[in-house]
Amino acid sequence: MPDIDRPLPYHYRISGLSIGSEFELPMRAPLPTEDFTSTDVVFRLGAVPECLPHISHRGPNWAANERSFLLELPEIGRFLCEEGARLTLCPAPGAFLDDIAVFVTGTAMAAILYQRGAMLLHGSAVVHDGRAFLFCGDSGAGKSTLAAALVQAGASFLADDVCSIDLSDSAVPRAVADGRFLRLYSDSIAQTGLTNALGSRVRRRIDKYHISVGGGPEASIDSAPVAAIYMLAGSHAAAPPGISQLPNLEAAQALLHNSYRRRVALAYAHRGQIPAQTFRLLSSTHVFLLHRAAKFDALDDTVSMIKAHWAGLR
Amino acid sequence: MAAFPGGLVWLASYPKSGNTWMRILLANLLSARDEPADINNLSEPQTLMGRWRFADDMLVDPDLLDSRELGVMRPIHCDFAAQDVSHPFFCKTHDQFWSPEGELTLGASARRVLYIIRDPRDVAISFSYHAGLSIDDTITQMVDRNASSTGRAVLPCFMGDWGTHVVGWASQPLIPVMVVRYESMHANTVSCLRSIVDFLGGQADEMEIRRAVAHGSFDELQRQEARKGFREARPGQERFFRTGQAGGWREVLKPHQLRRIEDHFADIMTAYGYEIADRSQAD
């Protein structure tokens, strides 16, 4: 039977798109089939080629052309993303689907979204008084831990790791949830007091866990207007804790640097027109550099500093 | 103006062996400016040891990979970066050349290796200050074949023990390597830097080398650190650029500490000109 005839038993909503999937995505609640009138993106298991023709961009383990994006993660699997509509996963021998699905909803889904012209930031987001606040930073910068601490201090969780920016309303860019749970290392879970919200491991052999932070006054919303974007940085003698606004050029550079899977964004830059997207985002919101001591015992001080800053942004 | 051929050069060493000093000397040589290079702006985002560069190039968050997957992907990453780079790219590493399973940890496509070796008895003192460990605990780490480290911004690093680290890099047959003794750098920095430039196929005149050495002097590094701090220092560490001494171990190490280091590494120390001090070893 050809691949395209096999049924798609699982339905999800990710970053505003309806997904029909041949396989289950862990820690995401499937939506009832009857609620789905159309499918934007199809996830399937199947054969994936080892290379692409007419490559325009490439990296050590990936390649992109006008129509397709191919990613190879040794020991994990190969991922093919086509036309912003079809994602095919070919697991490596011995790989378990529940262990590698995180890469489907991470890099591979990002490629699908970029093929559709999306703008994605590498950051976490929380909502307070109906406004979204984003926290961008490199892997290990503490984005998720800070989001968790802000949720504990009364904000609502919106996004972790990747935050999609909806620019369809030109006046008010909105941060959109992708439906994933917050993910934290066990030491962060203990420090932020979220042990009661502990979910499954993100991967079988990784000490990182899904955290269910469903509470908060705005728990049910899946998007909110972007009020401010913070770039996380450590503090040291020359840069003590504090928040300062970045000039527009530096803000634009910081946004590009913090694009989620920056090189895929650049491969499909013409689809979304990154300069125009950045200009529109910066015309209605500001980007701030947030220096803070990147250690657990300074979290409360950082949360107080951020909440005071929010009050000043009204 | 000083110039080097394009391509990746590993600046490899066991920790606290003069790697950062070497990076700063080369950065000053390449910048060819009247003022010293900023020690807090030494091209960190590009380092192949960093989590950011790995995630940016490989499109996967290293935090989501186990050690086996990371071990397979890192050489692929480093080889691609080495083949892709057209400018001179000096990259610091404390990783061993071979993994415990005998696989390449960082690939084999770099054009040269500068391996910096320092008397392990001085390393023990400097490393103990840096890591905030006792000297005995530091020596335990230096003789541990499975020693590794990690950090917020850097990828997990497999260091192993001091002796295997030296032998792995210095005797690997895949990349041309020059072993530089820290003590020689200390005793005659200008002449040492001259021979390094020649080994790397670079060009630099006498004045450029002397200026780079002056701009990378310990006085200058300590001055910058006192004024602005050093972003690579361990949190809470008083000073990264401490004394830079050679031979300080004679006043600091206790006999049992000396014996432990020399028991483990006497052959390699002797091969690289470090005289064995403990009488029971020498006899």
Side-chain angles (χ1 to χ4, degrees):
Chain A
M1 189 165 67
D3 279 357
I4 52 169
D5 291 337
R6 293 206 301 266
L8 302 168
Y10 303 101
H11 290 148
Y12 302 95
R13 183 157 290 277
I14 300 180
S15 299
L17 297 177
S18 58
I19 312 291
S21 178
E22 205 178 337
F23 50 89
E24 188 173 10
L25 301 177
M27 293 301 284
R28 283 177 190 261
L31 300 178
T33 302
E34 55 271 23
D35 288 0
F36 262 71
T37 52
S38 66
T39 302
D40 298 313
V41 185
V42 171
F43 289 3
R44 288 195 183 278
L45 293 169
V48 168
E50 290 186 7
C51 57
L52 290 180
H54 314 299
I55 290 169
S56 59
H57 295 74
R58 72 163 77 237
N61 57 334
W62 60 271
N65 65 23
E66 181 59 28
R67 298 161 51 100
S68 305
F69 167 82
L70 173 67
L71 173 71
E72 168 145 30
L73 298 176
E75 316 268 318
I76 292 170
R78 286 208 304 280
F79 305 76
L80 180 67
C81 308
E82 300 168 285
E83 302 278 13
R86 292 183 303 282
L87 190 158
T88 310
L89 163 62
C90 177
F96 296 97
L97 267 180
D98 67 293
D99 195 38
I100 64 176
V102 64
F103 304 104
V104 172
T105 50
T107 304
M109 187 61 200
I112 291 282
L113 288 163
Y114 281 129
Q115 287 171 341
R116 301 174 75 98
M119 182 182 202
L120 306 177
L121 291 176
H122 189 199
S124 60
V126 300
V127 177
H128 182 68
D129 284 348
R131 304 181 298 168
F133 298 91
L134 277 59
F135 300 91
C136 294
D138 298 347
S139 165
K143 303 180 290 293
S144 304
T145 303
L146 184 54
L150 287 164
V151 166
Q152 289 293 73
S156 298
F157 171 71
L158 185 68
D160 182 36
D161 199 39
V162 57
C163 190
S164 173
I165 307 294
D166 177 3
L167 294 160
S168 56
D169 175 350
S170 57
V172 190
R174 297 180 76 84
V176 185
D178 83 334
R180 74 171 61 171
F181 281 71
L182 188 63
R183 301 185 308 207
L184 290 176
Y185 283 110
S186 45
D187 55 352
S188 291
I189 295 166
Q191 286 295 329
T192 50
L194 284 164
T195 42
N196 290 337
L198 190 68
S200 64
R201 278 179 185 259
V202 174
R203 295 194 65 205
R204 293 184 179 203
R205 291 189 297 275
I206 303 288
D207 181 39
K208 205 170 195 179
Y209 297 82
H210 292 106
I211 298 293
S212 175
V213 282
E218 289 133 326
S220 60
I221 60 169
D222 63 359
S223 77
V226 179
I229 302 171
Y230 299 89
M231 299 293 163
L232 299 187
S235 61
H236 48 88
I243 297 173
S244 55
Q245 187 178 331
L246 287 176
N248 268 355
L249 181 59
E250 282 180 50
Q253 288 171 330
L255 290 175
L256 178 60
H257 179 87
N258 285 283
S259 295
Y260 184 74
R261 305 299 180 242
R262 186 183 69 109
R263 292 187 186 277
V264 189
L266 292 172
Y268 294 104
H270 56 292
R271 300 275 179 101
Q273 301 187 334
I274 290 178
Q277 289 175 329
T278 305
F279 177 78
R280 283 168 61 191
L281 183 55
L282 288 178
S283 38
S284 65
T285 191
H286 293 302
V287 177
F288 300 92
L289 187 59
L290 168 56
H291 284 287
R292 88 281 185 241
K295 50 187 182 185
F296 288 127
D297 55 13
L299 255 181
D300 289 346
D301 290 344
T302 305
V303 167
S304 301
M305 179 167 72
I306 290 169
K307 292 190 88 170
H309 193 248
W310 290 352
L313 286 175
R314 285 173 195 285
Chain B
M1 195 176 125
F4 291 93
L8 171 63
V9 174
W10 290 122
L11 304 181
S13 74
Y14 193 81
K16 304 311 290 178
S17 297
N19 201 317
T20 301
W21 185 24
M22 178 70 80
R23 264 166 74 218
I24 291 168
L25 287 171
L26 291 167
N28 275 297
L29 198 53
L30 275 171
S31 76
R33 292 166 60 151
D34 289 335
E35 68 274 15
D38 181 354
I39 59 171
N40 286 307
N41 190 14
L42 296 168
S43 74
E44 269 68 28
Q46 293 304 316
T47 174
L48 294 166
M49 303 302 109
R51 290 175 187 268
W52 183 83
R53 173 83 190 259
F54 182 90
D56 193 49
D57 285 342
M58 299 294 286
L59 307 182
V60 58
D61 188 339
D63 292 351
L64 292 180
L65 302 176
D66 66 28
S67 58
R68 185 175 51 93
E69 293 158 348
L70 203 52
V72 174
M73 290 192 210
R74 285 196 74 195
I76 294 171
H77 180 220
C78 293
D79 279 341
F80 183 87
Q83 288 154 14
D84 200 42
V85 68
S86 55
H87 62 273
F89 177 25
F90 301 110
C91 188
K92 163 183 170 172
T93 179
H94 292 318
D95 280 284
Q96 285 213 7
F97 189 80
W98 304 104
S99 74
E101 295 77 30
E103 304 288 342
L104 293 163
T105 55
L106 305 174
S109 299
R111 55 175 290 271
R112 293 282 188 279
V113 173
L114 273 184
Y115 187 82
I116 307 147
I117 184 173
R118 184 181 188 185
D119 190 324
R121 296 164 294 198
D122 280 336
V123 171
I125 300 166
S126 183
F127 201 0
S128 123
Y129 273 99
H130 179 72
L133 290 172
S134 70
I135 290 180
D136 285 311
D137 287 346
T138 304
I139 295 171
T140 298
Q141 176 149 341
M142 289 176 68
V143 301
D144 179 0
R145 299 183 71 85
N146 298 310
S148 63
S149 69
T150 191
R152 186 175 285 273
V154 296
L155 294 166
C157 166
F158 170 64
M159 297 176 305
D161 68 277
W162 181 86
T164 311
H165 200 284
V166 172
V167 172
W169 278 101
S171 63
Q172 53 78 26
L174 302 173
I175 310 171
V177 56
M178 176 181 184
V179 178
V180 182
R181 292 171 88 250
Y182 177 86
E183 293 74 15
S184 307
M185 279 173 64
H186 207 265
N188 195 337
T189 318
V190 169
S191 139
C192 216
L193 194 53
R194 167 88 269 159
S195 61
I196 288 167
V197 170
D198 292 344
F199 168 72
L200 296 176
Q203 292 178 333
D205 63 29
E206 188 69 14
M207 193 198 74
E208 290 167 329
I209 287 182
R210 287 189 180 280
R211 181 173 54 192
V213 170
H215 286 172
S217 69
F218 258 72
D219 286 349
E220 169 58 26
L221 304 184
Q222 286 177 334
R223 188 186 68 78
Q224 285 196 39
E225 185 175 16
R227 203 157 46 104
K228 289 187 180 173
F230 182 42
R231 61 200 287 179
E232 294 176 48
R234 187 177 54 80
Q237 185 177 14
E238 197 181 336
R239 277 188 304 168
F240 183 93
F241 298 105
R242 212 170 48 84
T243 66
Q245 267 186 0
W249 60 269
R250 292 176 199 280
E251 281 75 51
V252 177
L253 291 190
K254 295 177 179 151
H256 76 276
Q257 295 167 334
L258 198 57
R259 200 173 311 120
R260 240 179 120 201
I261 294 174
E262 295 185 353
D263 272 353
H264 275 89
F265 305 128
D267 291 350
I268 301 162
M269 290 171 67
T270 306
Y272 286 96
Y274 299 115
E275 196 177 330
I276 301 303
D278 181 41
R279 193 167 295 278
S280 62
Q281 277 291 318
D283 291 343

